[in-house]
Amino acid sequence: MPAAAPALELRAVERHYRRGEEVVTALGGVDLSVRPGELLAVLGRSGSGKSTLLHIAGGLDTPDSGTVMVAGVEISAMPAAARARLRRRSIGFVFQFFHLLPSLSVSENVELPLLVERTRASHARASRDRAAAMLDAVGLAHRARHLPGELSGGEMQRVAVARALVTQPALVLADEPTGNLDSVTGASVLDLLTSHVREMGAALVMATHDPAAAACADRAVELSDGRLA
Ligand code: ADP
Ligand code: MG
């Protein structure tokens, strides 16, 4: 049987930004392969290209050159609408500053990725049940009707983890998920994220400064000036 395609594969990925006359190289030719179910930490100082790498891996941004494959599908060559569909179905994101929608309740935030995909009214109940189960799994069932602004930072990030995982994505991308949390809260969010990712068999690519986060990963790579050391 042929081996499964990598969960994520970047080949010779470059991304340059123009800043006035100057060209900033955010990614200067990155090759990276992440196995299905693998937990990878991406280290590197601020400005080394970690966020750019995650945005490109998740199809939120496109490379200037090179290819990006998610579960064997080349997303870098897809039209924007198809890329967005694949992103919604196969990729979950967790951000440093949570990015919850402030006017939606906690349960609505978690259900949102399912609502966007839902085409038939008969799925309404299933979406609600899945969101409720996911919220329960991150220990926040009792917060379902609250607004994000009523939660602590750690609780908001747990909601963001539930939202990222509710579609059972093959690939989870986390950009400094503990960067805005104190160390105790960060450790518990990290434990929650990695244990659920492992249980689901998803792959995780996590940009982090946090040595504890790197220690939870199967492998760590380091970015320096847009290149992997
Ligand atoms: P990190 O997440 O490791 O801090 P980033 O990927 O955010 O690094 O940034 C990599 C480099 O690209 C930095 O020099 C940053 O200033 C630059 N950069 C990122 N986004 C933009 C942008 N939209 N316009 C111009 N430069 C950018
Ligand atoms: Mg960043």
Side-chain angles (χ1 to χ4, degrees):
M1 219 172 80
L8 173 68
E9 189 163 24
L10 273 57
R11 289 195 201 131
V13 166
E14 298 195 19
R15 182 72 169 98
H16 309 278
Y17 293 108
R18 192 166 291 281
R19 207 186 277 153
E21 292 293 280
E22 193 193 359
V23 174
V24 177
T25 296
L27 295 177
V30 169
D31 295 290
L32 178 67
S33 185
V34 182
R35 294 188 306 275
E38 187 178 24
L39 274 58
L40 177 75
V42 179
L43 311 174
R45 62 171 181 74
S46 180
S48 59
K50 302 182 297 299
S51 294
T52 303
L53 186 150
L54 291 181
H55 290 163
I56 285 178
L60 294 171
D61 187 15
T62 49
D64 294 315
S65 61
T67 57
V68 181
M69 319 257 291
V70 172
V73 178
E74 187 179 339
I75 65 166
S76 45
M78 280 181 168
R83 197 168 65 238
R85 203 175 313 122
L86 182 135
R87 186 169 66 230
R88 288 196 302 267
R89 289 180 184 167
S90 304
I91 305 176
F93 286 91
V94 180
F95 300 95
Q96 180 176 356
F97 295 103
F98 324 131
H99 289 200
L100 301 176
L101 295 184
S103 62
L104 297 185
S105 71
V106 161
S107 60
E108 287 165 341
N109 266 280
V110 175
E111 197 184 343
L112 199 58
L114 300 172
L115 294 180
V116 175
E117 275 303 302
R118 208 176 66 209
T119 50
R120 285 184 292 144
S122 60
H123 292 173
R125 181 65 186 274
S127 299
R128 238 179 357 255
D129 289 350
R130 260 210 67 70
M134 201 62 236
L135 204 51
D136 194 32
V138 300
L140 287 176
H142 62 295
R143 294 293 215 181
R145 290 163 178 280
H146 287 249
L147 292 173
E150 297 168 332
L151 306 184
S152 69
E155 288 174 326
M156 282 193 262
Q157 197 62 306
R158 294 166 95 92
V159 175
V161 167
R163 179 185 55 185
L165 301 183
V166 75
T167 58
Q168 300 189 284
L171 175 64
V172 178
L173 303 172
D175 197 354
E176 310 208 26
T178 62
N180 201 38
L181 304 173
D182 67 71
S183 61
V184 172
T185 308
S188 87
V189 166
L190 192 63
D191 185 52
L192 188 81
L193 173 65
T194 54
S195 63
H196 283 293
V197 163
R198 284 196 195 277
E199 195 181 300
M200 284 170 41
L204 172 70
V205 180
M206 174 167 53
T208 185
H209 279 112
D210 182 352
C216 290
D218 300 321
R219 181 162 67 104
V221 295
E222 184 160 5
L223 263 178
S224 174
D225 292 331
R227 291 175 177 278
L228 287 176

